[in-house]
Amino acid sequence: MADTKREIERKYEGPPAGGDAPLPDLTDVPGVSGVIDKGVAELDATYYDTADQRLATASLTLRRRTGGDDAGWHLKLPVSEGVRDEIRAPLSDTVPEDLTALVRSRIREAELVPVVRLLSARDIRHLVDDSGALLAEVSVDRVRAERLSGGAGSAEWTEIEVELADDGDPAFLDKVEKKLRKAGIKRSSSASKLAKALDDTAPRKPAKAGKAEKAGKEGKAGKVADVSKATTTAAKPEPPDSTPHTAGDHILTYVREQRDAIVELDPAVRRDVPDSVHRMRVATRRLRSTFRSYGKILDRTVTDPIGVELKWLAAELGVDRDQEVLTEHLTAALDDLPSDLVTGPVQARLDTWSGARRSGSRQRLIAVLDGKRYLDLLTTLDTLVARPPLQEAASKKPEKVIAKAVRKDFKKVADLVGEALELPPGSERDLAMHDARKKAKRTRYAAEAATPALGEPAADLVKSMKSLQTLLGDHQDSVMVRGSLRELATEAHEEGENAFTYGVLYGRAEQRAAAVEAALPGEWEAIEGQGAV
């Protein structure tokens, strides 16, 4: 069984391999009462990746390491700069399936192979406070890297690593760094040992002949050399301009962000990290909404089938979540009732009812994430981003094309809200308000995508649509709660239980819906007065 450790560390460049010990005296770092020499550990780590280095590209590392006090398999997932979650598994001859699953969204069906072996002599020191508690571990690593695939190079270097103790204050690392910098020690230019090893052992391509050299050769061959265009060195290509310019640029940037979010959240969903399922579901909805809103930019004959798959994925992610949210609303409403209004085993029945309706499971969701349909969807999204089905309008300036799409969505929201306000209270109005909520959400996502291009007006629309979405969402929650209370009351009655409390809860939910309906005209008037972009 894999376990997780939050790793907060900083890496620094040491002297050339074989040089003198580079550490200054660390006893005068504020808070440090002692530096304990823990000796030298011999570490032997083999790093695994796909042949085209998909993990390294995403700043993920997967290794099998022996030596030291944490021998085993380690998968490191980036959290933020200098912070990673290290997922550990016991030693085995092959990559543990638990860890392979956590990189599935990156590697898909590709094979994991050994790419680099690192042999490290780690000279370890513990920085402790006056109680003897560990503050940080400082190590001087003398490393030898050997390329195992994609070449046969080797490299050696020395680096310093400072790792914060578990539950330590990250500000302590600043104090250590201040001391190291005074000693002339600077941060490493490589994000990890693996990144440096891959770079230092990569096969070097032969330098291309410069224009001047080519011109000289052509002159010797009897051709006229254009010396006016000759240079003494090969021209270095300019990096591509990644700044969005056209309408298509802006929408593709947003699409790429949502694709990346799905891929990056996959390991968190598998690990059941709080809110990860919801966030992945939102990313799928944002993508689907963007395809529908910006059909003038991205060809819907291509994106509509992808939208179907995104809708499927969102539904799978929400199998248990919707029931969970509904149960939370009912439980909170029951908790708010005075005890003299609670008659019968209401909480017990609620628990039984909720459990019976939870059709999903962790196993079901993991099976979806491991399934071909999901992995094919990820590959399809990669293809879409790499070769987008751009329409003619995609090459135009965003101020017109994107703004027009957002205004179109806003008009649909206005029509649906107006329709809902004209209807009398009842099921038809409930349905119209729900439709308006869904359209407000789509308009919000369209405005999000438009914000980098259109600025403050689009950002203001995002806020107003979020406010409207929340208001209409409260109404829809009331509709769902009332439907569930009818079911619960019926079941309780059939079992001979007193259904009084369910009626009280129903009445309160009805009052909340009426309050939303009363607030909607004023809320909408303010939003409509602000207008779209």
Side-chain angles (χ1 to χ4, degrees):
M1 176 67 76
D3 63 288
T4 303
K5 179 182 183 298
R6 176 61 57 88
E7 179 184 84
I8 303 176
E9 66 179 20
R10 296 180 187 178
K11 296 181 183 293
Y12 302 87
E13 294 183 0
D20 295 333
L23 286 179
D25 181 8
L26 298 175
T27 55
D28 58 351
V29 172
V32 174
S33 292
V35 178
I36 303 174
D37 189 340
K38 304 297 289 186
V40 178
E42 299 293 337
L43 308 177
D44 187 344
T46 300
Y47 288 78
Y48 286 70
D49 204 337
T50 60
D52 54 357
Q53 298 180 12
R54 299 179 192 179
L55 299 187
T57 300
S59 299
L60 276 66
T61 60
L62 173 64
R63 73 186 179 202
R64 181 187 187 274
R65 189 168 78 181
T66 58
D69 58 4
D70 63 346
W73 286 91
H74 307 148
L75 171 64
K76 298 193 178 188
L77 306 172
V79 176
S80 59
E81 184 178 359
V83 182
R84 294 187 291 184
D85 279 343
E86 183 177 272
I87 319 297
R88 298 176 175 179
L91 277 176
S92 61
D93 293 335
T94 57
V95 182
E97 181 54 38
D98 285 353
L99 300 189
T100 302
L102 291 176
V103 297
R104 184 85 66 202
S105 65
R106 300 289 185 182
I107 67 172
R108 315 290 164 79
E109 301 299 327
E111 182 184 4
L112 289 168
V113 297
V115 291
V116 166
R117 183 185 184 192
L118 297 184
L119 301 171
S120 304
R122 170 164 289 182
D123 191 356
I124 305 169
R125 294 164 178 78
H126 282 182
L127 307 186
V128 298
D129 63 17
D130 54 9
S131 70
L134 180 65
L135 297 170
E137 180 177 286
V138 180
S139 62
V140 180
D141 294 345
R142 292 178 170 83
V143 186
R144 175 175 172 79
E146 300 173 355
R147 190 86 171 200
L148 301 179
S149 65
S154 64
E156 294 185 10
W157 70 90
T158 300
E159 71 176 37
I160 300 166
E161 190 174 286
V162 183
E163 181 175 350
L164 189 68
D166 293 346
D167 301 320
D169 182 359
F172 178 70
L173 295 182
D174 294 332
K175 299 175 182 178
V176 177
E177 178 162 315
K178 184 177 181 180
K179 180 67 175 178
L180 294 177
R181 292 182 65 181
K182 285 184 177 179
I185 298 170
K186 61 181 182 179
R187 288 276 194 106
S188 174
S189 58
S190 297
S192 66
K193 286 184 176 67
L194 176 61
K196 181 171 178 59
L198 289 172
D199 184 57
D200 288 359
T201 65
R204 300 304 176 189
K205 296 180 180 180
K208 294 182 179 180
K211 292 182 179 179
E213 185 179 348
K214 290 181 180 179
K217 289 180 179 178
E218 289 181 354
K220 291 178 182 178
K223 295 183 179 180
V224 177
D226 185 358
V227 295
S228 65
K229 296 181 181 179
T231 58
T232 56
T233 58
K236 184 177 181 180
E238 290 293 329
D241 183 4
S242 60
T243 304
H245 295 290
T246 66
D249 291 340
H250 282 278
I251 300 309
L252 283 174
T253 296
Y254 189 75
V255 167
R256 190 178 297 107
E257 288 171 354
Q258 308 318 313
R259 185 278 311 267
D260 291 349
I262 293 172
V263 173
E264 291 167 6
L265 284 165
D266 180 291
V269 170
R270 293 174 186 270
R271 294 162 57 205
D272 203 17
V273 173
D275 203 38
S276 58
V277 171
H278 171 68
R279 289 165 60 202
M280 182 186 276
R281 196 180 185 193
V282 168
T284 65
R285 287 172 166 171
R286 281 175 167 148
L287 262 180
R288 184 165 175 259
S289 292
T290 301
F291 292 156
R292 292 167 66 87
S293 293
Y294 294 105
K296 294 293 185 182
I297 294 174
L298 295 172
D299 187 351
R300 287 192 59 175
T301 62
V302 176
T303 61
D304 277 358
I306 302 175
V308 171
E309 296 303 286
L310 290 168
K311 184 179 181 179
W312 159 78
L313 178 58
E316 291 291 348
L317 290 166
V319 164
D320 281 346
R321 180 57 183 162
D322 289 343
Q323 181 62 38
E324 182 182 343
V325 170
L326 185 56
T327 302
E328 288 173 357
H329 282 303
L330 287 166
T331 301
L334 182 61
D335 290 343
D336 284 342
L337 278 186
S339 59
D340 60 343
L341 295 181
V342 181
T343 60
V346 181
Q347 185 63 62
R349 177 155 298 284
L350 174 58
D351 292 342
T352 301
W353 171 85
S354 177
R357 281 157 181 76
R358 291 194 66 177
S359 58
S361 66
R362 288 290 304 162
Q363 289 77 15
R364 173 190 171 116
L365 181 53
I366 297 304
V368 167
L369 298 183
D370 283 335
K372 185 176 185 300
R373 185 174 182 181
Y374 167 71
L375 297 177
D376 285 349
L377 171 58
L378 296 185
T379 301
T380 300
L381 291 173
D382 288 345
T383 302
L384 178 89
V385 169
R387 297 190 295 276
L390 297 174
Q391 302 274 61
E392 182 180 350
S395 62
K396 297 181 179 179
K397 293 182 178 181
E399 290 78 7
K400 285 189 175 182
V401 180
I402 293 179
K404 184 177 180 180
V406 175
R407 285 195 294 269
K408 183 177 179 181
D409 278 348
F410 182 81
K411 184 179 184 306
K412 291 178 180 178
V413 175
D415 290 344
L416 288 171
V417 171
E419 178 184 333
L421 292 174
E422 290 176 0
L423 292 169
S427 58
E428 286 191 30
R429 173 182 269 196
D430 292 343
L431 182 59
M433 292 180 71
H434 182 46
D435 287 342
R437 172 177 174 260
K438 291 189 291 184
K439 193 64 65 178
K441 187 185 300 183
R442 175 173 155 183
T443 305
R444 172 189 166 189
Y445 296 151
E448 281 181 355
T451 298
L454 305 182
E456 189 174 344
D460 289 342
L461 184 59
V462 171
K463 293 177 184 177
S464 61
M465 287 297 100
K466 185 176 181 179
S467 176
L468 178 63
Q469 178 188 332
T470 299
L471 184 68
L472 296 175
D474 289 343
H475 185 273
Q476 179 62 15
D477 288 343
S478 170
V479 172
M480 298 301 294
V481 164
R482 282 179 282 159
S484 298
L485 286 169
R486 281 193 294 268
E487 290 183 34
L488 286 162
T490 300
E491 291 179 7
H493 178 74
E494 291 174 351
E495 294 294 325
E497 298 169 8
N498 192 323
F500 169 77
T501 299
Y502 303 105
V504 174
L505 291 172
Y506 188 100
R508 288 193 167 197
E510 201 169 40
Q511 287 179 341
R512 286 194 294 273
V516 170
E517 292 178 24
L520 181 58
E523 176 84 7
W524 178 246
E525 184 178 356
I527 292 173
E528 196 171 29
Q530 175 186 307
V533 296

